[in-house]
Coordinates of all heavy atoms in Angstrom, one line a residue:
M299 N 8.6 7.3 12.6 CA 7.1 7.4 12.6 C 6.5 7.2 14.0 O 5.7 6.3 14.2 CB 6.5 6.4 11.6 CG 5.5 7.1 10.8 SD 4.8 6.0 9.5 CE 3.9 4.7 10.4
T300 N 7.0 8.0 15.0 CA 6.4 7.8 16.3 C 5.5 9.0 16.6 O 6.0 10.1 16.7 CB 7.5 7.7 17.4 OG1 8.8 8.0 16.8 CG2 7.7 6.3 18.0
Q301 N 4.3 8.6 16.9 CA 3.4 9.7 17.3 C 2.9 9.3 18.7 O 2.5 8.1 18.9 CB 2.2 9.8 16.3 CG 2.6 10.6 15.1 CD 1.5 10.8 14.1 OE1 0.4 10.3 14.4 NE2 1.8 11.5 13.1
N302 N 2.8 10.2 19.5 CA 2.4 9.9 20.9 C 1.1 10.4 21.2 O 0.8 10.9 22.4 CB 3.4 10.4 21.9 CG 4.7 9.5 21.8 OD1 4.6 8.3 21.7 ND2 5.9 10.1 21.9
A303 N 0.2 10.5 20.3 CA -1.2 10.9 20.6 C -1.7 9.8 21.6 O -1.6 8.6 21.3 CB -2.1 10.9 19.4
H304 N -2.3 10.3 22.7 CA -2.6 9.4 23.7 C -4.1 8.9 23.7 O -5.0 9.8 23.5 CB -2.3 9.8 25.1 CG -1.8 8.7 26.0 ND1 -0.5 8.3 25.9 CD2 -2.5 7.9 26.8 CE1 -0.4 7.3 26.8 NE2 -1.5 7.0 27.3
L305 N -4.3 7.7 23.7 CA -5.7 7.2 23.6 C -5.9 6.5 25.0 O -5.4 5.5 25.3 CB -5.8 6.1 22.5 CG -7.1 5.6 22.2 CD1 -8.1 6.6 21.7 CD2 -7.0 4.4 21.2
D306 N -6.8 7.1 25.8 CA -7.2 6.5 27.0 C -8.5 5.7 26.8 O -9.5 6.3 26.5 CB -7.5 7.6 28.0 CG -6.3 7.8 28.9 OD1 -5.6 6.8 29.2 OD2 -6.0 9.0 29.3
L307 N -8.3 4.4 26.9 CA -9.4 3.6 26.6 C -9.7 2.7 27.7 O -8.9 2.0 28.3 CB -9.0 2.7 25.4 CG -10.0 2.1 24.6 CD1 -10.9 3.2 24.0 CD2 -9.4 1.4 23.4
E308 N -11.0 2.8 28.2 CA -11.4 1.9 29.2 C -12.2 0.8 28.6 O -13.3 1.0 28.0 CB -12.2 2.6 30.3 CG -11.7 2.2 31.7 CD -12.2 3.2 32.7 OE1 -11.7 4.3 32.8 OE2 -13.2 2.8 33.4
L309 N -11.8 -0.4 28.8 CA -12.5 -1.5 28.3 C -13.4 -2.2 29.3 O -13.0 -2.3 30.5 CB -11.5 -2.6 27.7 CG -10.5 -2.1 26.6 CD1 -9.5 -3.2 26.3 CD2 -11.3 -1.7 25.4
T310 N -14.5 -2.7 28.8 CA -15.3 -3.5 29.7 C -14.6 -4.9 29.9 O -13.8 -5.2 29.1 CB -16.7 -3.7 29.1 OG1 -16.5 -4.5 27.9 CG2 -17.4 -2.5 28.8
P311 N -15.0 -5.6 30.9 CA -14.4 -6.9 31.1 C -14.5 -7.8 29.9 O -13.6 -8.5 29.6 CB -15.1 -7.5 32.3 CG -15.7 -6.3 33.1 CD -15.9 -5.3 32.0
E312 N -15.7 -7.7 29.2 CA -15.9 -8.5 28.1 C -14.9 -8.1 26.9 O -14.4 -9.0 26.2 CB -17.3 -8.3 27.6 CG -17.9 -9.4 26.7 CD -19.2 -9.1 26.1 OE1 -19.7 -7.9 26.4 OE2 -19.8 -9.9 25.5
E313 N -14.7 -6.8 26.8 CA -13.8 -6.3 25.7 C -12.4 -6.7 26.1 O -11.6 -7.1 25.1 CB -14.0 -4.8 25.6 CG -15.2 -4.4 24.9 CD -15.5 -2.9 25.0 OE1 -15.0 -2.2 26.0 OE2 -16.3 -2.4 24.2
E314 N -12.1 -6.6 27.4 CA -10.7 -7.1 27.8 C -10.5 -8.5 27.3 O -9.4 -8.8 26.8 CB -10.7 -7.2 29.3 CG -10.4 -6.0 30.2 CD -9.1 -5.3 30.0 OE1 -8.2 -5.9 29.4 OE2 -9.1 -4.2 30.4
E315 N -11.5 -9.3 27.5 CA -11.3 -10.7 27.2 C -11.2 -10.9 25.6 O -10.3 -11.7 25.2 CB -12.6 -11.5 27.6 CG -12.3 -13.0 27.9 CD -13.6 -13.6 28.3 OE1 -14.5 -13.0 28.9 OE2 -13.8 -14.8 28.0
M316 N -12.0 -10.1 24.9 CA -11.8 -10.2 23.4 C -10.4 -9.8 23.0 O -9.8 -10.4 22.1 CB -12.8 -9.2 22.8 CG -14.3 -9.5 22.9 SD -15.2 -8.2 22.1 CE -16.7 -8.3 22.9
V317 N -9.9 -8.7 23.6 CA -8.6 -8.2 23.2 C -7.6 -9.2 23.5 O -6.6 -9.5 22.8 CB -8.3 -6.8 23.9 CG1 -6.9 -6.4 23.7 CG2 -9.2 -5.8 23.3
E318 N -7.8 -9.8 24.7 CA -6.8 -10.8 25.1 C -6.7 -12.0 24.1 O -5.7 -12.5 23.8 CB -7.2 -11.4 26.5 CG -6.1 -11.6 27.5 CD -6.6 -11.9 28.8 OE1 -6.9 -13.0 29.2 OE2 -6.7 -10.9 29.6
L319 N -7.9 -12.4 23.7 CA -8.0 -13.5 22.7 C -7.4 -13.1 21.4 O -6.6 -13.9 20.8 CB -9.4 -13.9 22.5 CG -10.1 -14.9 23.5 CD1 -11.5 -15.1 23.3 CD2 -9.3 -16.2 23.5
L320 N -7.6 -11.9 21.0 CA -7.0 -11.4 19.7 C -5.6 -11.3 19.8 O -4.9 -11.6 18.8 CB -7.6 -10.0 19.4 CG -9.0 -10.0 18.9 CD1 -9.7 -8.6 18.8 CD2 -9.2 -10.6 17.5
Q321 N -5.1 -10.9 21.0 CA -3.7 -10.8 21.2 C -3.0 -12.1 21.0 O -2.0 -12.2 20.3 CB -3.4 -10.2 22.6 CG -1.9 -9.9 22.8 CD -1.7 -9.4 24.2 OE1 -2.5 -8.9 24.9 NE2 -0.5 -9.5 24.7
E322 N -3.6 -13.2 21.6 CA -3.0 -14.5 21.5 C -3.1 -15.0 20.0 O -2.1 -15.4 19.5 CB -4.0 -15.5 22.3 CG -3.4 -15.7 23.7 CD -4.4 -16.7 24.4 OE1 -4.7 -17.7 23.8 OE2 -4.7 -16.4 25.6
E323 N -4.3 -14.8 19.4 CA -4.5 -15.2 18.0 C -3.5 -14.5 17.1 O -3.0 -15.1 16.1 CB -6.0 -14.9 17.6 CG -6.3 -15.2 16.2 CD -6.3 -16.7 16.0 OE1 -6.6 -17.4 17.0 OE2 -6.1 -17.1 14.9
M324 N -3.2 -13.2 17.3 CA -2.4 -12.5 16.4 C -0.9 -12.6 16.7 O -0.1 -12.1 16.0 CB -2.8 -11.0 16.4 CG -4.2 -10.7 15.8 SD -4.7 -9.0 16.2 CE -5.8 -8.6 14.8
G325 N -0.6 -13.2 17.9 CA 0.7 -13.3 18.4 C 1.4 -12.0 18.6 O 2.6 -11.8 18.3
L326 N 0.6 -11.0 19.2 CA 1.2 -9.7 19.4 C 1.7 -9.5 20.9 O 1.1 -10.2 21.7 CB 0.1 -8.6 19.1 CG -0.2 -8.6 17.6 CD1 -1.4 -7.7 17.4 CD2 1.0 -8.0 16.8
P327 N 2.7 -8.7 21.1 CA 3.2 -8.6 22.4 C 2.4 -7.9 23.4 O 2.4 -8.1 24.6 CB 4.5 -7.8 22.1 CG 4.3 -7.1 20.8 CD 3.4 -7.9 20.0
T328 N 1.6 -6.9 23.0 CA 0.8 -6.0 24.0 C -0.6 -5.8 23.5 O -0.9 -6.0 22.3 CB 1.5 -4.7 24.1 OG1 1.4 -4.0 22.9 CG2 2.9 -4.8 24.6
R329 N -1.4 -5.5 24.4 CA -2.8 -5.1 24.1 C -2.9 -3.9 23.1 O -3.7 -3.8 22.2 CB -3.6 -4.7 25.3 CG -3.8 -6.0 26.2 CD -4.3 -5.5 27.6 NE -5.1 -4.3 27.4 CZ -5.7 -3.7 28.4 NH1 -5.5 -4.0 29.6 NH2 -6.4 -2.6 28.1
E330 N -1.9 -3.0 23.4 CA -1.8 -1.8 22.5 C -1.6 -2.2 21.1 O -2.2 -1.7 20.1 CB -0.7 -0.8 23.0 CG -1.1 0.0 24.2 CD -1.0 -0.8 25.5 OE1 -0.5 -1.9 25.5 OE2 -1.5 -0.3 26.5
A331 N -0.7 -3.2 20.9 CA -0.4 -3.6 19.5 C -1.6 -4.2 18.9 O -1.8 -4.0 17.6 CB 0.7 -4.7 19.6
V332 N -2.5 -4.9 19.6 CA -3.7 -5.3 19.1 C -4.6 -4.2 18.5 O -5.1 -4.3 17.5 CB -4.5 -6.2 20.1 CG1 -5.9 -6.6 19.6 CG2 -3.7 -7.3 20.6
L333 N -4.7 -3.2 19.3 CA -5.5 -2.0 18.9 C -5.0 -1.4 17.7 O -5.7 -1.0 16.8 CB -5.7 -1.0 20.0 CG -6.4 -1.6 21.3 CD1 -6.5 -0.5 22.4 CD2 -7.8 -2.0 20.9
H334 N -3.7 -1.2 17.7 CA -3.0 -0.6 16.4 C -3.3 -1.4 15.2 O -3.7 -0.9 14.2 CB -1.5 -0.6 16.7 CG -1.1 0.5 17.6 ND1 -1.3 1.9 17.4 CD2 -0.4 0.5 18.8 CE1 -0.8 2.6 18.3 NE2 -0.3 1.8 19.2
M335 N -3.2 -2.7 15.4 CA -3.5 -3.6 14.3 C -4.9 -3.5 13.8 O -5.2 -3.5 12.6 CB -3.1 -5.1 14.7 CG -3.3 -6.1 13.6 SD -2.1 -5.8 12.3 CE -0.6 -6.4 13.1
L336 N -5.8 -3.5 14.7 CA -7.3 -3.5 14.4 C -7.6 -2.2 13.7 O -8.4 -2.2 12.7 CB -8.1 -3.7 15.7 CG -8.0 -5.0 16.3 CD1 -8.9 -5.0 17.6 CD2 -8.6 -6.1 15.4
V337 N -7.1 -1.1 14.1 CA -7.4 0.2 13.5 C -6.8 0.1 12.1 O -7.5 0.6 11.1 CB -6.8 1.3 14.3 CG1 -6.9 2.6 13.5 CG2 -7.5 1.5 15.6
K338 N -5.6 -0.4 11.9 CA -5.0 -0.5 10.6 C -5.9 -1.3 9.6 O -6.1 -0.9 8.5 CB -3.6 -1.1 10.7 CG -2.5 -0.1 10.5 CD -1.2 -0.8 10.4 CE -0.3 -0.2 11.4 NZ 1.0 -1.0 11.7
Q339 N -6.3 -2.5 10.2 CA -7.2 -3.3 9.3 C -8.5 -2.7 9.0 O -9.0 -2.7 7.9 CB -7.4 -4.7 10.0 CG -6.1 -5.5 10.0 CD -6.4 -6.8 10.8 OE1 -7.4 -7.0 11.5 NE2 -5.5 -7.7 10.8
A340 N -9.1 -2.0 9.9 CA -10.4 -1.4 9.7 C -10.3 -0.2 8.7 O -11.2 0.0 7.9 CB -11.0 -0.9 11.0
I341 N -9.3 0.6 8.8 CA -9.1 1.7 7.9 C -9.1 1.4 6.5 O -9.5 2.1 5.6 CB -7.9 2.7 8.4 CG1 -8.1 4.1 7.8 CG2 -6.6 2.1 7.9 CD1 -9.2 4.9 8.4
Q342 N -8.5 0.2 6.2 CA -8.3 -0.2 4.8 C -9.7 -0.5 4.1 O -9.8 -0.4 2.9 CB -7.5 -1.5 4.7 CG -6.0 -1.1 4.9 CD -5.1 -2.3 5.2 OE1 -5.6 -3.4 5.0 NE2 -3.9 -2.1 5.5
R343 N -10.7 -0.6 4.9 CA -12.0 -0.8 4.4 C -12.7 0.5 4.0 O -13.6 0.6 3.2 CB -12.9 -1.6 5.3 CG -12.8 -3.1 5.1 CD -13.6 -3.9 6.1 NE -12.7 -4.6 7.1 CZ -12.9 -4.5 8.4 NH1 -13.8 -3.8 8.9 NH2 -12.0 -5.1 9.2
V344 N -12.3 1.5 4.6 CA -13.0 2.8 4.4 C -12.1 3.9 3.8 O -12.7 4.9 3.3 CB -13.6 3.4 5.8 CG1 -14.6 2.4 6.3 CG2 -12.5 3.7 6.8
A345 N -10.8 3.7 3.7 CA -10.0 4.7 3.2 C -8.8 4.1 2.5 O -8.4 3.0 2.7 CB -9.6 5.6 4.3
I346 N -8.1 5.0 1.7 CA -6.9 4.6 1.1 C -5.8 5.7 1.4 O -6.2 6.7 1.9 CB -7.0 4.5 -0.4 CG1 -7.5 5.9 -1.0 CG2 -8.0 3.4 -0.8 CD1 -7.1 6.1 -2.4
T347 N -4.5 5.4 1.2 CA -3.6 6.4 1.3 C -3.5 7.3 0.2 O -3.4 6.8 -1.0 CB -2.2 5.7 1.5 OG1 -2.3 4.8 2.7 CG2 -1.1 6.7 1.9
C348 N -3.6 8.5 0.4 CA -3.6 9.5 -0.7 C -2.2 9.5 -1.4 O -1.2 9.7 -0.7 CB -3.8 10.9 -0.1 SG -3.7 12.2 -1.3
P349 N -2.1 9.3 -2.7 CA -0.9 9.3 -3.4 C -0.2 10.6 -3.5 O 0.9 10.8 -3.8 CB -1.3 8.8 -4.8 CG -2.7 8.9 -5.0 CD -3.4 9.1 -3.6
T350 N -1.0 11.7 -3.2 CA -0.4 13.1 -3.3 C 0.2 13.5 -2.0 O 1.4 13.9 -2.1 CB -1.5 14.0 -3.7 OG1 -2.2 13.6 -4.9 CG2 -1.0 15.4 -3.9
C351 N -0.5 13.3 -0.9 CA 0.1 13.9 0.3 C 0.4 12.8 1.4 O 1.0 13.1 2.4 CB -0.9 14.9 0.9 SG -2.3 14.2 1.5
G352 N -0.1 11.6 1.2 CA 0.2 10.5 2.2 C -0.8 10.4 3.3 O -0.6 9.6 4.2
H353 N -1.7 11.3 3.4 CA -2.8 11.2 4.4 C -3.8 10.3 4.0 O -3.7 9.7 2.9 CB -3.4 12.6 4.7 CG -2.5 13.5 5.5 ND1 -2.6 13.6 6.9 CD2 -1.6 14.4 5.1 CE1 -1.7 14.5 7.3 NE2 -1.1 15.0 6.3
F354 N -4.8 10.0 4.8 CA -5.8 9.1 4.4 C -6.9 9.8 3.6 O -7.3 10.9 3.9 CB -6.4 8.4 5.6 CG -5.5 7.4 6.1 CD1 -4.7 7.6 7.3 CD2 -5.4 6.2 5.5 CE1 -3.9 6.6 7.7 CE2 -4.5 5.2 5.9 CZ -3.8 5.4 7.1
A355 N -7.3 9.1 2.6 CA -8.4 9.7 1.8 C -9.6 8.7 2.0 O -9.5 7.5 1.8 CB -8.0 9.7 0.3
R356 N -10.7 9.2 2.3 CA -11.9 8.4 2.6 C -12.5 8.0 1.3 O -12.7 8.8 0.4 CB -12.9 9.2 3.4 CG -14.1 8.4 3.8 CD -14.6 8.7 5.1 NE -15.8 7.9 5.4 CZ -16.9 8.3 6.0 NH1 -16.9 9.5 6.5 NH2 -17.9 7.5 6.1
R357 N -12.9 6.8 1.2 CA -13.5 6.3 0.0 C -15.0 6.7 -0.1 O -15.7 6.6 0.8 CB -13.5 4.7 -0.1 CG -12.1 4.2 -0.3 CD -12.0 2.7 -0.1 NE -12.5 2.1 -1.3 CZ -12.0 1.0 -1.8 NH1 -11.2 0.3 -1.0 NH2 -12.4 0.4 -2.9
T358 N -15.3 7.4 -1.2 CA -16.7 7.8 -1.4 C -17.5 6.9 -2.3 O -18.7 7.0 -2.3 CB -16.6 9.3 -2.0 OG1 -15.8 9.3 -3.2 CG2 -16.0 10.3 -1.1
A359 N -16.8 6.1 -3.0 CA -17.5 5.1 -3.8 C -16.5 3.9 -4.0 O -15.3 4.0 -3.6 CB -17.8 5.6 -5.2
E360 N -16.9 2.9 -4.7 CA -16.1 1.7 -4.9 C -14.7 2.1 -5.6 O -13.7 1.5 -5.2 CB -16.9 0.8 -5.8 CG -16.4 -0.7 -5.9 CD -16.3 -1.3 -4.4 OE1 -17.1 -1.0 -3.5 OE2 -15.4 -2.1 -4.3
D361 N -14.7 3.0 -6.4 CA -13.5 3.4 -7.2 C -13.2 4.8 -7.1 O -12.6 5.4 -7.9 CB -13.8 3.0 -8.7 CG -15.0 3.7 -9.3 OD1 -15.7 4.4 -8.5 OD2 -15.2 3.6 -10.4
K362 N -13.6 5.4 -5.9 CA -13.3 6.9 -5.8 C -13.1 7.2 -4.4 O -13.6 6.6 -3.4 CB -14.6 7.6 -6.2 CG -14.2 8.8 -7.2 CD -15.5 9.5 -7.6 CE -15.1 10.4 -8.9 NZ -16.3 11.1 -9.3
A363 N -12.1 8.1 -4.2 CA -11.9 8.6 -2.8 C -11.6 10.1 -2.8 O -11.1 10.6 -3.9 CB -10.7 7.8 -2.2
Q364 N -11.8 10.7 -1.7 CA -11.4 12.1 -1.6 C -10.5 12.4 -0.4 O -10.9 12.0 0.7 CB -12.6 13.0 -1.6 CG -12.2 14.5 -1.5 CD -13.2 15.4 -2.1 OE1 -14.3 15.1 -2.2 NE2 -12.8 16.6 -2.4
C365 N -9.4 13.0 -0.6 CA -8.5 13.3 0.5 C -8.9 14.6 1.2 O -9.2 15.6 0.6 CB -7.1 13.5 0.0 SG -5.9 13.8 1.3
R366 N -9.0 14.5 2.5 CA -9.5 15.6 3.3 C -8.4 16.6 3.5 O -8.6 17.8 3.9 CB -10.0 15.2 4.7 CG -11.3 14.5 4.6 CD -11.9 14.4 5.9 NE -11.2 13.5 6.8 CZ -11.7 13.0 7.9 NH1 -12.8 13.5 8.4 NH2 -11.0 12.2 8.6
S367 N -7.1 16.1 3.3 CA -6.0 16.9 3.6 C -5.6 17.8 2.4 O -5.5 19.0 2.6 CB -4.8 16.0 3.9 OG -4.1 16.6 5.0
C368 N -5.5 17.2 1.2 CA -5.1 18.0 0.1 C -6.2 18.2 -0.9 O -6.0 18.8 -1.9 CB -3.9 17.5 -0.6 SG -4.2 15.9 -1.4
L369 N -7.4 17.6 -0.6 CA -8.6 17.7 -1.4 C -8.5 17.1 -2.8 O -9.3 17.3 -3.7 CB -9.0 19.2 -1.5 CG -9.3 20.0 -0.2 CD1 -9.7 21.4 -0.5 CD2 -10.3 19.3 0.6
S370 N -7.5 16.2 -3.0 CA -7.4 15.5 -4.2 C -8.6 14.6 -4.3 O -9.1 14.0 -3.4 CB -6.1 14.6 -4.2 OG -5.0 15.4 -4.3
V371 N -9.0 14.4 -5.6 CA -10.0 13.4 -5.9 C -9.2 12.3 -6.5 O -8.4 12.4 -7.4 CB -11.0 13.9 -6.9 CG1 -11.9 12.8 -7.3 CG2 -11.8 15.0 -6.3
I372 N -9.4 11.1 -5.9 CA -8.6 9.9 -6.3 C -9.5 8.9 -7.0 O -10.5 8.6 -6.4 CB -7.8 9.4 -5.1 CG1 -7.0 10.5 -4.4 CG2 -6.9 8.2 -5.5 CD1 -7.0 10.4 -3.0
T373 N -9.1 8.4 -8.1 CA -9.9 7.4 -8.7 C -9.1 6.1 -9.0 O -7.9 6.2 -9.2 CB -10.5 8.0 -10.1 OG1 -9.4 8.5 -10.8 CG2 -11.5 8.9 -9.9
L374 N -9.8 5.0 -9.0 CA -9.1 3.8 -9.2 C -9.2 3.5 -10.7 O -10.2 3.4 -11.3 CB -9.9 2.7 -8.4 CG -9.3 1.3 -8.4 CD1 -7.9 1.3 -7.7 CD2 -10.2 0.3 -7.7
S375 N -8.0 3.4 -11.3 CA -8.0 2.9 -12.7 C -7.0 1.8 -12.9 O -5.8 2.0 -12.5 CB -7.7 4.1 -13.6 OG -6.4 4.5 -13.6
E376 N -7.5 0.7 -13.4 CA -6.6 -0.5 -13.5 C -5.9 -0.8 -12.3 O -4.7 -1.1 -12.3 CB -5.7 -0.3 -14.7 CG -6.4 -0.3 -16.1 CD -5.5 0.2 -17.2 OE1 -4.4 0.0 -17.1 OE2 -6.1 0.8 -18.2
D377 N -6.7 -0.9 -11.2 CA -6.1 -1.3 -9.9 C -5.1 -0.3 -9.2 O -4.4 -0.7 -8.3 CB -5.4 -2.7 -10.0 CG -6.5 -3.8 -10.0 OD1 -7.6 -3.5 -9.6 OD2 -6.2 -4.9 -10.4
I378 N -5.0 0.8 -9.8 CA -4.1 1.8 -9.2 C -4.9 3.0 -8.9 O -5.6 3.5 -9.7 CB -2.9 2.1 -10.2 CG1 -2.1 0.9 -10.5 CG2 -2.1 3.3 -9.6 CD1 -1.2 1.0 -11.6
W379 N -4.7 3.5 -7.6 CA -5.3 4.8 -7.2 C -4.5 5.9 -7.7 O -3.3 6.1 -7.5 CB -5.4 4.8 -5.7 CG -6.4 3.8 -5.2 CD1 -6.2 2.6 -4.7 CD2 -7.8 4.0 -5.0 NE1 -7.3 2.0 -4.3 CE2 -8.4 2.8 -4.5 CE3 -8.7 5.1 -5.3 CZ2 -9.7 2.7 -4.2 CZ3 -10.0 5.0 -5.1 CH2 -10.6 3.7 -4.5
E380 N -5.2 6.7 -8.5 CA -4.5 8.0 -9.0 C -5.2 9.2 -8.6 O -6.5 9.3 -8.7 CB -4.5 7.8 -10.6 CG -3.5 6.9 -11.1 CD -3.7 6.8 -12.7 OE1 -4.7 7.2 -13.2 OE2 -2.7 6.2 -13.3
A381 N -4.4 10.2 -8.3 CA -5.0 11.5 -7.9 C -5.1 12.3 -9.1 O -4.2 12.3 -10.0 CB -4.0 12.2 -6.9
K382 N -6.2 13.0 -9.2 CA -6.4 13.9 -10.3 C -6.2 15.3 -9.8 O -6.8 15.7 -8.8 CB -7.9 13.8 -10.8 CG -7.9 13.0 -12.1 CD -9.3 13.2 -12.7 CE -10.3 12.2 -12.2 NZ -11.7 12.3 -12.8
A383 N -5.3 16.0 -10.4 CA -5.0 17.4 -10.0 C -6.3 18.2 -10.2 O -7.0 18.1 -11.3 CB -3.9 17.9 -10.9
D384 N -6.7 18.9 -9.2 CA -8.0 19.5 -9.2 C -7.8 21.0 -9.7 O -8.3 21.9 -9.2 CB -8.5 19.5 -7.8 CG -10.0 19.4 -7.8 OD1 -10.6 19.1 -8.9 OD2 -10.6 19.4 -6.7
L385 N -7.3 21.1 -10.9 CA -6.9 22.4 -11.4 C -8.1 23.0 -12.1 O -8.4 24.2 -11.9 CB -5.7 22.3 -12.4 CG -4.4 21.8 -11.7 CD1 -3.3 21.7 -12.8 CD2 -4.0 22.8 -10.6
N386 N -8.8 22.3 -13.0 CA -9.9 22.9 -13.7 C -11.2 22.2 -13.4 O -11.6 21.3 -14.0 CB -9.6 22.7 -15.2 CG -8.5 23.6 -15.7 OD1 -8.6 24.8 -15.5 ND2 -7.5 23.0 -16.3
V387 N -11.8 22.7 -12.3 CA -13.0 22.2 -11.9 C -14.1 22.9 -12.7 O -14.1 24.1 -12.8 CB -13.3 22.5 -10.4 CG1 -14.6 21.8 -10.0 CG2 -12.1 21.9 -9.6
E388 N -14.9 22.0 -13.3 CA -16.0 22.6 -14.1 C -17.1 23.2 -13.3 O -17.5 22.6 -12.4 CB -16.6 21.5 -15.1 CG -15.6 21.2 -16.2 CD -16.0 19.9 -16.9 OE1 -17.2 19.7 -17.1 OE2 -15.2 19.0 -17.0
Ligands
ZN273 ZN1 -4.0 14.1 0.0

C-alpha cells in the first residue's frame, strides 16, 4: 500500500510548532507521519470505508453514506455498515 502522491505543504511557523508538538505527543518519527495520522483521524468523522469497493464513502447522514466510487448507498444497521445493491431504484 505505497502511494506516492506528493503533497507539497508549506507550513507557517505557528503550524510548524503545532506539528512539532503533535509529533512529540503522538510519538511519531516524522512530521509526515503526523500529517498522515491527522488525515486518518479526520476522515473517520466524515466518511467510512465502502464495504463494496474499499474506497471512501462520504457520510450523508448519521446512519447513511454514499460511495463516490461505486455509487453504493451504505446504511448503518445494528452497528454494521451495509451496502445496498443499487439494482432497483424506484
Ligand atoms: Zn464503493
Side-chain angles (χ1 to χ4, degrees):
M299 224 175 70
T300 8
Q301 277 181 4
N302 286 321
H304 218 83
L305 184 66
D306 263 323
L307 202 58
E308 221 165 288
L309 299 175
T310 65
E312 200 186 7
E313 287 166 339
E314 272 307 334
E315 207 183 330
M316 292 183 208
V317 171
E318 220 167 89
L319 280 174
L320 286 168
Q321 186 182 339
E322 266 178 45
E323 178 68 28
M324 294 168 152
L326 294 167
T328 61
R329 294 168 32 184
E330 282 76 14
V332 175
L333 295 178
H334 285 296
M335 183 65 77
L336 292 176
V337 170
K338 253 188 235 167
Q339 288 177 349
I341 197 69
Q342 282 165 10
R343 273 178 249 131
V344 299
I346 58 155
T347 303
C348 174
T350 306
C351 70
H353 284 267
F354 283 103
R356 182 146 180 218
R357 291 172 81 151
T358 51
E360 198 54 33
D361 58 354
K362 228 178 195 178
Q364 177 154 22
C365 181
R366 287 197 290 192
S367 218
C368 68
L369 304 179
S370 288
V371 173
I372 304 145
T373 48
L374 186 65
S375 75
E376 289 166 29
D377 283 342
I378 296 167
W379 289 95
E380 282 177 347
K382 261 195 269 180
D384 217 4
L385 297 176
N386 287 306
V387 183
E388 286 164 49

